[in-house]
């Protein structure tokens, strides 16, 4: 998964941490400024973005071929963060933790990881020509 030269390189992991802090901040708002009926698509899109950043950090950059181990770890990390975020919302006045939000987070995590896999395969195919 992580090679010794890629372990915890700040330029790869800083965007992940910053993105997670942004999600945490948005989840801390009692009334986040989002259009009506966009909750699940926003969750999906936010966690798609987080998954791409996590894949990038684990893989040592993008685009590149993504191993099954990196893909599985990225999905697991992203969904785990989504779960902790739903628990966090239980303590925010006016907010609730929602299993359907977590399902949207998981779908976004899977979609973002798949995008990285396809991008890596496409990029690898164009380099060999």
């Amino acid at each position: 998964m992580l090679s010794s030269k890629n372990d915890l390189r700040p330029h790869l992991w800083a965007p992940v941490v910053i993105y997670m802090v942004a999600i945490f901040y948005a989840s801390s708002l009692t009334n986040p400024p989002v259009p009506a009926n966009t909750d699940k698509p926003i969750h999906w899109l936010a966690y798609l973005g987080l998954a791409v950043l996590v894949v990038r950090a684990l893989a040592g950059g993008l685009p590149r071929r993504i191993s099954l181990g990196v893909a599985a770890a990225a999905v697991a990390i992203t969904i785990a963060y989504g779960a902790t975020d739903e628990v966090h919302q239980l303590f925010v006045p006016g907010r609730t933790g929602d299993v359907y939000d977590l399902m949207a987070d998981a779908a976004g995590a899977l979609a973002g990881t798949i995008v990285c896999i396809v991008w890596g395969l496409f990029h690898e195919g164009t380099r060999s020509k």
Side-chain angles (χ1 to χ4, degrees), residues 9-123:
R9 290 198 291 185
H11 75 280
L12 294 172
W13 286 99
V16 174
V17 172
I18 291 166
Y19 201 95
M20 287 177 166
V21 167
I23 289 172
F24 185 88
Y25 172 75
S27 295
S28 297
L29 300 174
T30 300
N31 293 309
V34 296
N37 300 317
T38 61
D39 181 51
K40 302 306 180 261
I42 287 173
H43 275 265
W44 184 87
L45 189 58
Y47 282 83
L48 179 147
L50 179 58
V52 169
L53 292 175
V54 172
V55 169
R56 176 183 169 269
L58 290 171
L62 289 175
R64 70 180 43 183
R65 188 176 186 128
I66 305 303
S67 71
L68 182 58
V70 165
V75 170
I77 289 167
T78 306
I79 292 172
Y81 187 76
T84 64
D85 187 53
E86 291 307 315
V87 171
H88 163 237
Q89 288 182 51
L90 293 172
F91 301 97
V92 176
R95 302 293 296 269
T96 60
D98 182 4
V99 70
Y100 295 109
D101 285 350
L102 182 57
M103 290 170 63
D105 299 345
L110 188 58
T113 303
I114 290 170
V115 164
C116 292
I117 291 168
V118 171
W119 186 19
L121 292 172
F122 177 76
H123 180 71

